[in-house]
Amino acid sequence: MLDKLLNRWHNTSAYRSYAVREPNERLIILAVVLLVAAVLVWTVLWQPVSNWSASAQQKHQQEQTLNDWLAANESRARASAGDAKAPKTAAEGLLTIVSRTAEQSGLKLTRFQPESNGVSVVLQKQSFNDVLRWLDLLENNEQVLVVQASLDADTLSGRVNARFSLRR
């Protein structure tokens, strides 16, 4: 079979043109053909496989990170689900937590009231940085979630008026 292919190749005009060239020219032609073949193999085979592999590794890493986060926060999520079963006591406890942490953060609550599944809080002319620290304290230390937030800049620089809906 290889003999048949070689005979066909030797009978082509491309081979006859190649065979009559000087040895240096044939070497240059062979080098160019090999270079073109290498570039084709690179662009058609290697690069797509390499890109797919890198993409798959990145997706795997993202999924692993999500899985680790879910495993780390499983107990916290289960505790939150358990708290949702007793909304009245959770809301009453939430009022205490909100007022205590606001006082610790140096914030004055203009108004706060229980809602069906949480607490509504209004702040006026408070430091933006203090409000963010307070929200971070609520979320990370007290497991209180911000369900809804509305912030408006006050006329004083660095001060905001805000309304939050919080729940556990």
Side-chain angles (χ1 to χ4, degrees):
M1 173 132 172
L2 185 60
D3 289 335
K4 286 183 182 180
L5 287 175
L6 284 176
N7 282 336
R8 283 191 176 177
W9 168 242
H10 289 293
N11 291 328
T12 63
S13 61
Y15 176 76
R16 285 191 299 265
S17 175
Y18 173 77
V20 298
R21 303 279 179 189
E22 293 288 325
N24 289 340
E25 290 177 341
R26 282 188 280 190
L27 186 62
I28 291 171
I29 291 171
L30 185 60
V32 168
V33 167
L34 289 175
L35 180 65
V36 168
V39 167
L40 282 173
V41 166
W42 172 262
T43 57
V44 173
L45 294 174
W46 184 260
Q47 193 175 26
V49 169
S50 177
N51 290 346
W52 173 82
S53 175
S55 174
Q57 286 176 350
Q58 182 181 14
K59 184 172 180 171
H60 173 74
Q61 182 62 36
Q62 289 172 342
E63 296 294 330
Q64 186 64 42
T65 301
L66 176 60
N67 188 36
D68 293 344
W69 184 86
L70 288 172
N73 290 299
E74 179 184 10
S75 61
R76 188 169 151 189
R78 290 188 189 280
S80 293
D83 289 347
K85 293 177 184 174
K88 185 166 176 99
T89 50
E92 291 171 353
L94 187 55
L95 284 171
T96 306
I97 291 170
V98 167
S99 62
R100 176 179 47 81
T101 56
E103 186 176 323
Q104 288 173 351
S105 299
L107 297 174
K108 276 203 298 190
L109 301 176
T110 305
R111 186 180 71 209
F112 64 101
Q113 63 187 30
E115 293 181 339
S116 62
N117 60 349
V119 174
S120 174
V121 179
V122 176
L123 301 124
Q124 291 183 331
K125 298 182 192 269
Q126 300 297 312
S127 166
F128 177 72
N129 291 336
D130 290 344
V131 171
L132 290 183
R133 282 188 206 99
W134 176 60
L135 292 174
D136 182 60
L137 174 70
L138 284 172
E139 182 176 351
N140 292 324
N141 294 356
E142 304 295 340
Q143 290 73 42
V144 174
L145 301 174
V146 178
V147 178
Q148 188 174 20
S150 172
L151 290 150
D152 298 311
D154 192 57
T155 54
L156 298 171
S157 179
R159 300 288 177 166
V160 292
N161 298 321
R163 182 185 186 287
F164 299 102
S165 291
L166 307 170
R167 71 174 176 171
R168 286 191 98 180

